[in-house]
Amino acid sequence: MKRSMNKMHVIKTVAFLLIFVLLLGYVTDILQPKWIDGTSVTFVQENFYKEKKNSIEVAVLGSSQLVYGISSMRLLENYGISAYSLATGEQPVLCGYFYLREMVHSQNIKTVIYDVSMLYEEEQETRFRKTIDTAPMSRNKLWMILEHRNLSFAESARTYFFPIMKYHSRWEELEEMDYHYADLNTEVFKGNIMSPIASQRINYEKLCVDNDEIDASITMDESELYYFREMVQYCKEQNIELILIKTPKTTWTKSAMVGVEALAEEYQLPYMDFNTAELLEASGIDIEKDFWNQDHLNIRGAEKLTDYMAEYLLANGTYTDGRNTEAYDEEEVRRYYIDRENKYLQTSNSLEDVMTALKNDRYEVVMQLNGDIASHWNEDAQQLLAELGVSVNMAELQNAPFIGQYKNGNRFYEESQATAFTHEGTFSNGTPYEVTSNPSGNEMETGAKIAGEEISFQKKGLNFCVYDTVNNKLVDNFTLYYDEDRGDFNIYRYRES
């Protein structure tokens, strides 16, 4: 009887501890910050641990330049190379080294592509928390915590083993997103995010470092360099090829490049710096179309850089064709192509690029005029609109209101009137819209409403609303306007700061 009671006591104790651990994990997950903005560290990590074992052969590591700068899905789809990017925003070298160890543990890593930006960055505690807080417990995580605690600014190791000790007071800041953040994981594909922004403000003289003066005061961070050397040694022990690259970045310098060149020569490592005129030209990077901002490529630039690296990989190594393995996920590929098409539209900054992107059976377009473009209109622009299905000649609409609805060459509605008017219609899937055209009115007063959602254009010109009738979402809205500075038509997208 006594033995039976002891057994029951043990069972109750174990059950209590199990419930406590589960509740602690659940509460910790809610309370700790969700690193899902910008480089989406949380989703990048979570998705990696869902990959099938031994299905990845190329590891992409480094800072945010590679989150946006190399497309693992393009490597797979176009070249058969199975890659995953565990690059994260402002990633300390120690964190990149940790990720490499994690990838070697579960994957068949043959090659590492490593961006060298962080060699020159002073370490900060927040950058480590993004990695350590979100990574599942493992021998490698334990190793990283112990290594990290040796740094002068490191917080107590206890807060890494039990993050709730640091974040217990966050309960006052909790939002709906903290409970349902997983629903927002829609744009990360094998660790990469395709940027939907195209900046036209890139200065080539700042981007290309060829003519820079050498500044001897620019040196590598000692701690970053130490862990880089450790990572080099680890790659040698694991028989992994380590390739160093520097993606295009206007804040990079020739001094930094020369420092990395010396380091690469010391270890006999290949190093490709895309801030030189030679590699900018060889990769086909276009400063007018291929950048998100001063330091990051958008989807167009990323695909060009990816193509260049793929050719190098295939010329210097042998890889299993990931398209012919059990790990090939057709649903992921389907979602990738949808997102890719959307991002190509969203980065179109010329009427010609827009019309190319709109040749898609998912898209329907509602157009509205709220400014005078007739005086600058030309035959080339009219022919491009005709491909969409537009029959009205914009050159004849001098301050005349105009609304039209089109899909890939088909015209559903088209009207111009003498005075301002509003049209209520539906897309082919039944989604309602309402559009007002008033060329003489304030651009803030004329807009559109799609499925009850207000759309603001913030610019006078020919406005476009692009709706995905298959996935029931507004994909893009922008204004075609005449840019006096360029002496040509340009595309404007309003983005809330």
Side-chain angles (χ1 to χ4, degrees), residues 342-481:
N342 292 345
K343 298 297 175 58
Y344 256 85
L345 171 61
Q346 293 160 3
T347 53
S348 298
N349 57 15
S350 70
L351 184 58
E352 184 176 6
D353 286 347
V354 164
M355 290 305 151
T356 298
L358 288 178
K359 294 176 181 177
N360 189 316
D361 288 337
R362 290 189 293 113
Y363 298 156
E364 282 189 29
V365 182
V366 169
M367 295 166 56
Q368 165 252 57
L369 192 61
N370 75 334
D372 179 27
I373 61 174
S375 56
H376 298 288
W377 199 246
N378 57 64
E379 185 61 31
D380 290 340
Q382 186 64 37
Q383 288 181 358
L384 288 171
L385 285 188
E387 295 177 9
L388 185 62
V390 176
S391 65
V392 171
N393 188 344
M394 295 294 156
E396 299 175 357
L397 298 180
Q398 192 80 33
N399 291 316
F402 164 80
I403 296 174
Q405 179 185 349
Y406 312 92
K407 177 180 180 178
N408 210 3
N410 296 307
R411 183 168 56 256
F412 298 114
Y413 172 82
E414 189 175 74
E415 185 172 1
S416 177
Q417 297 185 11
T419 58
F421 72 103
T422 298
H423 172 70
E424 296 182 6
T426 60
F427 293 107
S428 60
N429 67 346
T431 301
Y433 69 83
E434 179 181 312
V435 183
T436 299
S437 177
N438 183 11
S440 61
N442 189 301
E443 61 264 31
M444 304 289 288
E445 299 173 352
T446 55
K449 185 182 293 184
I450 309 294
E453 179 185 354
E454 296 284 350
I455 308 299
S456 178
F457 295 108
Q458 308 288 320
K459 196 83 171 176
K460 278 187 169 293
L462 183 61
N463 298 307
F464 293 66
C465 288
V466 184
Y467 193 78
D468 181 344
T469 58
V470 175
N471 298 291
N472 300 312
K473 61 181 292 186
L474 180 70
V475 175
D476 199 11
N477 58 280
F478 53 88
T479 302
L480 177 71
Y481 74 103

Side-chain angles (χ1 to χ4, degrees), residues 234-251:
Y234 180 77
C235 286
K236 288 183 177 179
E237 294 170 358
Q238 299 294 326
N239 195 30
I240 295 172
E241 180 188 17
L242 177 59
I243 302 171
L244 307 182
I245 73 168
K246 182 68 225 76
T247 60
K249 178 181 179 180
T250 61
T251 53

Side-chain angles (χ1 to χ4, degrees), residues 29 32 41-50 86 98-99 102 105-106 129-145 160-161 163:
D29 183 60
Q32 71 182 22
V41 178
T42 299
F43 295 149
V44 167
Q45 279 198 11
E46 286 184 356
N47 290 3
F48 168 71
Y49 290 105
K50 296 175 184 177
L86 272 170
F98 157 73
Y99 283 135
E102 285 287 270
H105 175 71
S106 62
R129 295 226 72 109
K130 290 180 181 181
T131 294
I132 302 177
D133 285 346
T134 53
M137 184 53 67
S138 67
R139 291 178 61 184
N140 288 324
K141 180 172 180 175
L142 175 61
W143 164 82
M144 179 169 58
I145 292 174
Y160 283 107
F161 288 113

Side-chain angles (χ1 to χ4, degrees), residues 60-61 63-70 85 87 113 115 192 245 247:
V60 181
L61 301 170
S63 64
S64 59
Q65 279 84 51
L66 285 186
V67 177
Y68 298 96
I70 289 184
S85 175
I113 299 174
D115 182 90
N192 298 121
I245 73 168
T247 60

Side-chain angles (χ1 to χ4, degrees), residues 57-87:
E57 295 184 335
V58 175
V60 181
L61 301 170
S63 64
S64 59
Q65 279 84 51
L66 285 186
V67 177
Y68 298 96
I70 289 184
S71 169
S72 297
M73 288 298 293
R74 187 170 180 86
L75 285 174
L76 176 63
E77 281 295 287
N78 289 49
Y79 303 96
I81 300 172
S82 297
Y84 195 96
S85 175
L86 272 170

Side-chain angles (χ1 to χ4, degrees), residues 87-106:
T88 55
E90 301 177 321
Q91 182 184 95
V93 178
L94 174 57
C95 293
Y97 184 15
F98 157 73
Y99 283 135
L100 176 57
R101 291 166 66 117
E102 285 287 270
M103 296 183 87
V104 169
H105 175 71
S106 62

